[in-house]
Amino acid sequence: MDWQPIETAPKDGRRILVHDYQRPVFARWADAMMVRDGVPQKAWMNDYGGALQGVTHWAVQPGAPA
């Protein structure tokens, strides 16, 4: 698996593997999933709807085993 800088990650809503400051986790980019003080926020969101902080790298989601 080749990790790439998060700046190059796709932001089209597809599920990818990202690495935050602690561990790898599956996430999607969300343009307005959260609203803070009436302002839509853009963030990497995990599968449970939580915003991720400190995301530094990404990789393509691995395929299923053969």
Side-chain angles (χ1 to χ4, degrees):
M1 176 177 352
D2 293 325
W3 289 100
Q4 300 176 46
I6 196 63
E7 295 79 18
T8 65
K11 293 185 176 179
D12 58 4
R14 80 177 90 164
R15 188 174 186 242
I16 60 173
L17 189 60
V18 299
H19 199 285
D20 64 11
Y21 61 93
Q22 295 179 346
R23 66 198 173 284
V25 63
F26 289 108
R28 290 181 171 89
W29 179 254
D31 281 327
M33 289 293 293
M34 304 180 337
V35 176
R36 181 175 296 149
D37 296 327
V39 179
Q41 303 294 307
K42 299 177 181 185
W44 290 103
M45 305 292 284
N46 65 26
D47 287 344
Y48 306 103
L52 301 172
Q53 302 296 320
V55 176
T56 60
H57 291 80
W58 77 280
V60 175
Q61 179 177 339

